[in-house]
Amino acid sequence: MQTLWQSPTDPAFVQDPYPFYERLRAAGPFVHWGDYDLPVTANAAVVGAALRDRRLGREAPAELAPPIPEHLAPFYAVEAHSMLELDPPRHTRLRGLVLRAFTSRRIAGLAPEIATLCHRLIDALPAGGCDLITGFAQPLPVIVIARLLGVPEDRAGDLLTWSNAMVGMYQARRSRATEEAAVAATQDFVAFLTDYIAHKRRHPADDLISHLIAAEDNGTTLSTEELIATCILLLNAGHEATVHTIGNGVKTLLEQRSQAAILTVDQIPGTVEEILRHDPALHLFTRWVHADLDLSGQTFRRGDRIGLLLAAANRDPNLWDAPTRFDPTRPVRTHFSFGAGTHFCIGAPLARLELQTALPILFQRLPGLHLTAPPRYADLYHFHGLERLDIAW
């Protein structure tokens, strides 16, 4: 296995990681990324197979799990109950219970509310132009999630602050200060949700927290710890990815100067899928090896860890013609921006609905929308999103 080096915090990589992904793909189905000390793959076929292989999982084998530093114990106490970090059978039970509350009908019913919120946020934008990330892309998904959960909208600012701090634990620039901020945010988030879930147990309503409390499968329900972890996951995962995808998508549409023709009713689903494929929010997702296996001629042993480069797989020329080109008219094909297999993103329908609703309204309400400064990506890897998106109309 060849070793390649590339700092994930290098400014050139932050702005455009895709040339490095091409080098990885050309070097073989698996390459050792020296900076991470991790075998990774940019090959779409291998990524797809690994995401669906039950011999790979999110949990480290019990006897090989790395120790948790004492100062991070509160953060990982929540992660211990998060669907994202669990494997079957516990993952299966939790996901089944959550899906009883997080139904497609409930998500689809949010469309009018999302549209109204988009108009409200646009009405509040300053007339001379603004940063679209803070003015629109950030508040939209966090308010939607707050309403869905049944959390008062006036707490959206706290939710956003806690989410941003906790997600810092998954970034390459992570430091001791980042860790301490994530732990403090976790403790605040847990304290808020503990009280709020207790309130919802006494006063249930037609919201997701109440339905999660009531969800039952074969006589089992979600514990308070599982409820807290699920609410945090829905907010952190759904909010972070959607903010970046809105920003990345609007940036691409403005650079392409073709948004009017491709944001019609019949074109918007394909446009959203191409946005998700072309420049997704999540680039690197890891898996632990639970049983010895061979993937594309590379042998892995129990306890090994591998990295799946979702964004690189989305540009594999073996699956897409001219994959570096943004082409909303291309036939829709399954991409990896929501993962695949057991851990396929449970919030994918909500993310798609937000994008399909928000983008046409944004361009219709802001005629002549254009960039007023070159967009720059933030140092967030393994996420990929903009620092700001300066626009006028």
Side-chain angles (χ1 to χ4, degrees), residues 325-364:
R325 187 178 72 234
F326 179 76
D327 180 8
T329 66
R330 72 170 74 241
V332 174
R333 176 174 288 168
T334 301
H335 53 72
F336 298 101
S337 299
F338 294 121
T342 302
H343 283 92
F344 181 80
C345 178
I346 201 169
L350 177 58
R352 286 187 164 111
L353 178 63
E354 289 176 318
L355 292 162
Q356 291 174 9
T357 303
L359 292 177
I361 291 174
L362 188 69
F363 282 96
Q364 290 161 10

Side-chain angles (χ1 to χ4, degrees), residues 2-241:
Q2 187 175 344
T3 296
L4 294 179
W5 294 84
Q6 173 60 67
S7 168
T9 61
D10 175 74
F13 177 84
V14 168
Q15 297 309 310
D16 187 4
Y18 295 102
F20 177 62
Y21 296 159
E22 295 304 316
R23 289 174 55 205
L24 288 172
R25 186 181 296 110
F30 277 97
V31 175
H32 184 259
W33 190 343
D35 303 77
Y36 276 104
D37 191 21
L38 184 73
V40 298
T41 178
N43 182 291
V46 180
V47 168
L51 287 170
R52 295 177 176 88
D53 196 318
R54 295 297 184 93
R55 295 170 296 178
L56 299 167
R58 288 291 292 171
E59 294 181 81
E63 75 280 9
L64 299 171
I68 295 173
E70 184 177 349
H71 73 286
L72 295 179
F75 178 86
Y76 286 107
V78 172
E79 295 287 276
H81 299 284
S82 173
M83 277 189 300
L84 183 62
E85 306 301 334
L86 297 173
D87 295 317
R90 191 172 174 203
H91 172 272
T92 306
R93 171 185 161 272
L94 283 176
R95 189 179 180 98
L97 285 166
V98 172
L99 285 173
R100 280 166 167 73
F102 202 62
T103 63
S104 57
R105 178 180 297 180
R106 177 173 294 276
I107 299 306
L110 292 171
E113 195 171 346
I114 294 172
T116 299
L117 177 58
C118 288
H119 285 291
R120 192 187 91 188
L121 292 171
I122 292 169
D123 288 339
L125 295 178
C130 67
D131 169 22
L132 191 72
I133 301 300
T134 55
F136 187 82
Q138 282 184 346
L140 176 64
V142 74
I143 292 172
V144 170
I145 288 286
R147 291 179 177 179
L148 182 64
L149 290 171
V151 173
E153 190 175 319
D154 61 8
R155 299 303 301 266
D158 291 326
L159 300 179
L160 180 60
T161 299
W162 296 333
S163 174
N164 287 340
M166 292 184 71
V167 170
M169 288 288 287
Y170 304 105
Q171 295 171 1
R173 63 176 180 173
R174 171 175 160 179
S175 65
R176 180 62 183 247
T178 303
E179 294 175 345
E180 291 173 353
V183 168
T186 302
Q187 292 170 323
D188 289 343
F189 212 157
V190 168
F192 167 72
L193 285 172
T194 299
D195 290 343
Y196 201 71
I197 288 169
H199 169 76
K200 285 296 180 181
R201 289 189 189 277
R202 297 190 301 269
H203 306 285
D206 186 20
D207 55 56
L208 188 58
I209 289 180
S210 298
H211 287 282
L212 287 169
I213 290 170
E216 183 176 339
D217 183 22
N218 293 324
T220 67
T221 58
L222 293 167
S223 68
T224 297
E225 292 78 12
E226 290 168 341
L227 282 165
I228 290 170
T230 297
C231 292
I232 290 176
L233 172 63
L234 291 174
L235 176 74
N236 290 359
H239 162 261
E240 187 78 11

Side-chain angles (χ1 to χ4, degrees), residues 249-290:
V250 172
K251 166 189 175 289
T252 301
L253 289 170
L254 292 177
E255 290 174 340
Q256 296 294 312
R257 301 181 183 277
S258 58
Q259 64 272 12
I262 60 179
L263 286 171
T264 57
V265 172
D266 59 334
Q267 289 290 326
I268 187 61
T271 301
V272 166
E273 293 309 304
E274 181 68 349
I275 286 171
L276 288 163
R277 179 202 72 84
H278 181 259
D279 198 19
L282 177 63
H283 279 214
L284 174 63
F285 203 41
T286 58
R287 285 286 192 273
W288 289 93
V289 177
H290 289 178

